[in-house]
């Protein structure tokens, strides 16, 4: 969809000629011959043709202006990005552990045989761990999910309906080495847990801190003007081979987990996060990420749960709070670290000739995330030049250049807008090059350490190469993209314009609430002029937002933390004078007493079960209701609809009798009613139905 630009003047030649003729009597009353043979009319037509050409140019917006307009709305074209994946390492026989630095480069080949390099984004210690068992459950009630995990199926990390006390048990063949940090990488299923969601969380945390700065240390924001675009304080700006300290992820609004190691049969020792014994980057199993564990003492092998073998166990315990949706595991890898498809490049790129608008070409392109450093040797002194999107704010003394990240081309100033590159001055660049979309490799294509000058310059690389026997990417490399074209950027700008940015209408409130970072909601509804504390009054200026997660499974209810997170997100986007209240639904239990006549030959017991299942499904808050997308908030239960539902159950001939029994709120005191009123914030919960087959 093109960017909607206004038509500044839609007049054509004929319109201009007609307009000119209509003005002749006003400005030249003595001119009476307006026919085409008149020389004046010929001149008028000539001027109309000239004006039409000018109007055509008026409506042409050059690419430079389009880029400026996009930058004003925060939609500048995105630079090239390298693919991301997860790397695992294997050790040679006899090696117990090996520490690997951040920035270590590995390589593989794509399907066409083209060499593709990746670099690690954090340090990792390879301990040779092998996961032998994966279980979930509570003490005394375990479920062995090892076979499902090995088949590549998704498995619930803390059960289908996690509650405090639920735990994940990981059994290893070898003990975790004491005092050595070991890494476990968790990839979750269901979406909403990848890199984009992580960046949205960090960006929203930074925006919230700008509105109301928290007490304590201030962290540099890695937030972006838009999701998916990283800020300047990234790994590219750090010295090569070092990790970048990111602002901490905001914790999950409700769920709290703890990691423990088994130090004896049935005896568990909790690891202290404050002491650095555990670093959970998954945000309590809601984001793809790494859990790094350092056990102070070696665990003890013991038989645990449904697995008979004696294994060395590590477990994660849900100690408090609740989830919006049950976390499900898609992939688990030990001795793993995140990596991105980028390769370090440094060296000379040319010599200046003091000409205006000089162009220098980089050795490799595209440039990863459009970030690089350029040093120019001027009179024997190294001078750092700065990349700019354009020269609009560059003066004569500005040491600036403009980068075409996709082509790897540097453009310097003309002496007025930005300095010229001095004649004879040697320029050098250091940056990360990427293959962009071509770096999206399938799993298992990355297989060895890169033997290049960069790795050879790392400390102890010879020992690393001697100890590491294998490298692999168990997950496909994904997310690599070429630089965004102007057409693509305009299309994205249109989508951003159509997406609600401010909560004005009730639909805006619902859409914004569902996209709250770090929260997973199944349903949202907004009600205007309704205050839950005063439901019978018209509360002007109050918007009540009803949110419904997927858990608990029988009667989903948002936690207090989820409600606070949604309210905080909406509060920064509301209109002044509007008060927002975020609540969960109130449940009214409704049971059905019915007598049905079966068709000939239908088993009565089986028919009763089908009727009860149909009623439970109809009253379900997430999948019930007349349309099957959840019981509508505040919708009453009508006797006629229940009659129709019962009549449509396979095996039912007709309904002999029907009564609806409400727990409270319909004026019956829990007795028998006709239709059942639910209330503006209410949902229906299925009670114990009494079905008689006669």
């Amino acid at each position: 969809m093109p960017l909607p630009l206004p038509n500044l003047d839609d007049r054509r030649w004929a319109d201009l000629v007609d307009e000119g003729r209509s003005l002749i009597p006003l400005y030249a009353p003595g001119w009476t011959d307006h026919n085409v043979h008149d020389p004046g009319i010929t001149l008028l037509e000539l001027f109309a043709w000239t004006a039409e050409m000018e109007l055509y140019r008026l409506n042409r917006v050059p690419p430079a202006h389009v880029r400026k307009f996009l930058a004003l709305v925060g939609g500048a074209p995105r630079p090239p990005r390298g693919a991301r994946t997860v790397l695992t390492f294997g050790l040679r026989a006899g090696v117990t552990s090996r520490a690997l630095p951040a920035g270590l480069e590995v390589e593989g080949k794509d399907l066409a045989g083209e060499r593709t390099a990746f670099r690690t984004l954090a340090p990792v210690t390879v301990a040779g761990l092998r996961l032998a068992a994966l279980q979930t459950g509570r003490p005394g009630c375990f479920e062995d999910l090892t076979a499902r995990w090995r088949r590549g199926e998704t498995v619930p990390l803390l059960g289908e309906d996690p509650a405090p006390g639920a735990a994940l048990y990981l059994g290893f063949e070898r003990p975790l080495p004491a005092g050595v940090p070991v890494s476990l990488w968790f990839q979750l299923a269901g979406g909403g847990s990848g890199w984009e969601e992580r960046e949205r969380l960090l960006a929203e945390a930074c925006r919230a801190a700008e509105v109301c700065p928290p007490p304590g240390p201030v962290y540099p924001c890695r937030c972006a003007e838009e999701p998916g675009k990283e800020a300047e304080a990234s790994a590219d700006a750090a010295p090569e081979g070092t990790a970048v300290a990111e602002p901490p992820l905001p914790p999950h609004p409700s769920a709290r987990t703890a990691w423990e190691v088994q130090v004896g049969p049935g005896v568990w020792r909790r690891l202290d996060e404050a002491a650095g014994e555990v670093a959970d980057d998954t945000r309590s199993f809601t984001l793809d990420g790494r859990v790094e564990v350092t056990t102070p003492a070696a665990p003890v092998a013991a038989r645990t749960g449904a697995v008979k073998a004696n294994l060395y166990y590590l477990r994660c315990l849900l100690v408090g709070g609740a989830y919006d949706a049950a976390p499900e595991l898609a992939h688990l890898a030990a001795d793993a670290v995140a990596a991105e498809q980028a390769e370090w490049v440094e060296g000379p790129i040319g010599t200046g000739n003091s000409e205006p608008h000089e162009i220098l070409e980089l050795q490799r392109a595209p440039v990863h995330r459009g970030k690089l450093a350029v040093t120019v040797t001027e009179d024997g002194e190294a001078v750092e030049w700065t990349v700019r999107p354009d020269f609009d704010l560059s003066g004569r003394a500005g040491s600036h250049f403009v980068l075409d990240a996709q082509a790897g081309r540097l453009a310097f100033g003309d002496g007025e807008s930005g300095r010229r590159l001095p004649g004879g001055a040697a320029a050098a660049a250091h940056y990360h090059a990427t293959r962009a979309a071509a770096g999206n490799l399938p799993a298992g294509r990355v297989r060895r350490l890169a033997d290049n000058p960069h790795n050879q310059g790392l400390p102890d690389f010879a020992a690393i190469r001697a100890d590491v026997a294998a490298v692999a990417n168990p997950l496909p490399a994904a997310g690599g993209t070429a630089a965004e074209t102007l057409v693509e950027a305009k299309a994205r700008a249109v989508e951003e314009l159509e997406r609600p940015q401010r909560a004005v209408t009730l639909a805006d409130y619902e859409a914004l609430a569902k996209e709250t970072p770090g929260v997973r909601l199944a349903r949202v509804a907004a009600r205007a002029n309704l205050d839950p504390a005063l439901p019978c009054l018209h509360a002007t200026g109050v918007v009540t937002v009803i949110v419904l997660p997927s858990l608990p499974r029988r009667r989903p209810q948002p936690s207090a933390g989820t409600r606070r997170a949604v309210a905080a997100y909406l509060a920064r986007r509301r209109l002044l004078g509007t008060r927002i209240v975020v609540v969960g639904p109130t449940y009214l239990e409704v049971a059905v007493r019915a007598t049905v006549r079966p068709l000939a030959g239908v088993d009565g017991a089986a028919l009763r079960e089908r009727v009860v299942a149909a009623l439970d499904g109809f009253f379900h808050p997430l999948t019930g209701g007349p349309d099957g997308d959840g019981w509508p908030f505040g919708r009453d239960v009508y006797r006629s609809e229940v009659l129709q539902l019962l009549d449509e159950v396979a095996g039912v001939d007709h309904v002999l009798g029907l009564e609806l029994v409400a727990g409270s709120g319909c004026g019956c005191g829990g007795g028998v009613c006709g239709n059942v009123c639910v209330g503006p914030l209410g949902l229906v919960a299925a009670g114990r139905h009494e079905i008689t087959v006669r």
Side-chain angles (χ1 to χ4, degrees):
M1 179 179 179
L3 194 65
L5 297 176
N7 192 346
L8 301 177
D9 198 326
D10 61 356
R11 290 177 297 173
R12 296 295 181 261
W13 178 84
D15 302 323
L16 294 169
V17 171
D18 291 341
E19 183 178 347
R21 280 176 173 166
S22 67
L23 294 174
I24 290 175
L26 177 64
Y27 293 102
W31 183 359
T32 58
D33 188 0
H34 301 166
N35 296 309
V36 294
H37 64 264
D38 187 86
I41 297 299
T42 302
L43 290 175
L44 182 65
E45 292 177 346
L46 175 62
F47 294 149
W49 175 82
T50 304
E52 185 186 34
M53 294 300 100
E54 293 298 325
L55 292 180
Y56 172 80
R57 294 187 181 94
L58 179 67
N59 273 322
R60 301 302 96 189
V61 182
H65 290 182
V66 174
R67 291 180 182 274
K68 280 294 183 183
F69 297 148
L70 290 173
L72 288 174
V73 298
R78 292 172 175 170
R81 294 191 58 152
R84 286 191 171 184
T85 187
V86 176
L87 298 178
T88 58
F89 298 86
L91 299 176
R92 299 189 187 277
V95 180
T96 57
S97 65
R98 163 54 62 184
L100 305 179
L104 179 68
E105 293 188 359
V106 300
E107 62 184 19
K109 293 184 178 180
D110 62 11
L111 298 178
E114 185 75 19
R115 175 183 172 275
T116 306
F118 288 78
R119 66 176 184 126
T120 58
L121 297 179
V124 61
T125 300
V126 183
L129 299 179
R130 284 194 59 189
L131 184 62
L134 188 151
Q135 304 182 72
T136 61
R138 295 170 174 270
C141 181
F142 290 84
E143 182 179 6
D144 185 6
L145 301 174
T146 308
R148 289 177 56 183
W149 167 67
R150 286 177 175 167
R151 289 194 300 266
E153 300 177 13
T154 60
V155 296
L157 279 171
L158 297 167
E160 300 288 351
D161 193 356
L168 167 70
Y169 293 81
L170 303 176
F172 298 93
E173 294 180 352
R174 293 174 51 188
L176 280 67
V180 175
V182 296
S183 298
L184 302 170
W185 184 273
F186 293 83
Q187 185 187 38
L188 306 178
S193 61
W195 303 106
E196 295 82 3
E197 185 66 13
R198 180 181 296 270
E199 290 172 1
R200 288 182 67 237
L201 273 168
L202 290 171
E204 185 60 23
C206 289
R207 294 189 185 102
E210 290 171 359
V211 174
C212 184
V218 178
Y219 297 94
C221 282
R222 279 187 63 252
C223 58
E225 295 299 324
E226 53 190 324
K229 178 182 176 184
E230 298 194 29
E232 295 298 325
S234 68
D236 294 277
E240 179 58 19
T242 63
V244 175
E246 293 183 346
L249 276 171
H252 190 273
S254 180
R256 296 292 179 268
T257 56
W259 285 83
E260 298 177 339
V261 61
Q262 189 168 221
V263 295
V267 181
W268 297 86
R269 183 193 184 282
R270 181 159 298 181
L271 301 178
D272 188 356
E273 184 174 357
E277 294 178 349
V278 60
D280 186 354
D281 192 45
T282 68
R283 196 171 172 265
S284 300
F285 292 147
T286 57
L287 291 177
D288 299 344
R290 184 172 69 159
V291 176
E292 192 173 65
V293 174
T294 305
T295 57
V300 174
R303 176 177 174 178
T304 302
V307 177
K308 297 181 179 179
N310 290 332
L311 299 173
Y312 301 90
Y313 274 94
L314 187 70
R315 77 174 180 182
C316 180
L317 189 68
L318 180 60
V319 295
Y323 286 101
D324 301 323
E328 293 189 337
L329 178 68
H331 189 85
L332 172 59
D335 295 334
V337 65
E340 65 183 2
Q341 196 280 302
E343 186 173 8
W344 181 252
V345 181
E346 60 182 342
I349 58 174
T351 304
N353 57 18
S354 194
E355 295 292 329
H357 304 298
E358 186 172 354
I359 302 294
L360 294 182
E361 302 279 349
L362 296 174
Q363 304 170 23
R364 298 271 305 278
V367 179
H368 179 53
R369 298 185 197 164
K371 299 172 185 175
L372 81 165
V374 171
T375 304
V376 179
T377 304
E378 304 178 27
D379 298 328
E381 182 180 354
V383 178
E384 294 287 339
W385 286 54
T386 307
V387 63
R388 288 284 185 88
D390 51 51
F391 293 112
D392 289 357
L393 299 179
S394 299
R396 295 180 179 180
S399 299
H400 305 144
F401 63 92
V402 174
L403 170 68
D404 183 343
Q406 185 66 29
R409 187 176 298 116
L410 282 64
F412 295 85
D414 59 1
E416 293 293 331
S417 297
R419 293 174 56 199
R420 299 182 185 184
L421 192 60
H430 49 279
Y431 60 98
H432 283 99
T434 179
R435 298 190 63 207
N440 295 329
L441 303 188
R445 303 297 298 184
V446 181
R447 296 172 181 171
R448 61 181 177 274
L449 296 174
D451 191 5
N452 57 17
H454 163 72
N455 273 356
Q456 293 170 2
L458 295 177
D460 209 23
F461 178 67
I464 292 175
R465 185 167 51 185
D467 292 344
V468 175
V471 182
N473 62 315
L475 299 176
T481 57
E484 199 172 38
T485 65
L486 201 56
V487 173
E488 293 169 340
K490 289 194 293 184
R492 178 168 55 84
V494 171
E495 294 178 358
E496 290 296 321
L497 290 173
E498 293 177 347
R499 190 174 64 86
Q501 306 287 339
R502 287 290 181 267
V504 180
T505 68
L506 293 181
D508 294 339
Y509 279 95
E510 294 173 355
L512 289 170
K514 289 203 73 170
E515 70 175 28
T516 303
V519 171
R520 297 178 63 181
L521 299 177
R523 294 176 58 201
V524 177
R527 300 287 184 265
N529 304 320
L530 173 65
D531 190 335
L534 304 167
C536 298
L537 297 180
H538 183 85
T540 303
V542 178
V543 176
T544 296
V545 181
I546 315 166
V547 296
L548 190 69
S550 299
L551 296 176
R553 302 188 72 179
R554 186 167 178 266
R555 296 186 183 183
Q557 192 70 253
S559 65
T562 295
R563 297 197 302 271
R564 286 194 298 268
V566 175
Y569 188 74
L570 293 177
R572 288 189 287 275
R573 291 157 177 83
R574 65 180 173 87
L575 296 178
L576 291 178
T578 304
R579 184 165 70 90
I580 300 172
V581 181
V582 180
V583 298
T586 56
Y587 284 95
L588 176 65
E589 187 172 289
V590 176
V592 174
R593 295 175 185 164
T595 303
V596 299
R597 175 67 56 84
L599 294 172
V602 174
D603 180 70
L607 179 59
R608 185 180 298 107
E609 292 180 1
R610 289 198 297 272
V611 170
V612 170
L615 291 170
D616 289 345
F618 184 63
F619 292 145
H620 197 278
L622 297 179
T623 58
D627 299 326
D629 53 2
W631 191 267
F633 293 101
R635 191 180 195 278
D636 295 341
V637 181
Y638 297 102
R639 189 172 184 272
S640 58
E641 290 183 340
V642 179
L643 276 170
Q644 180 182 357
L645 176 73
L646 297 179
D647 189 61
E648 292 175 352
V649 174
V652 172
D653 187 10
H654 56 271
V655 180
L656 298 173
L658 173 66
E659 297 172 342
L660 302 180
V661 183
S664 62
C666 69
C668 308
V672 178
C673 298
N675 299 331
V676 177
C677 56
V678 175
L681 306 179
L683 285 179
V684 175
R688 298 186 63 178
H689 308 297
E690 300 177 15
I691 307 300
T692 302
V693 179
R694 183 181 300 170

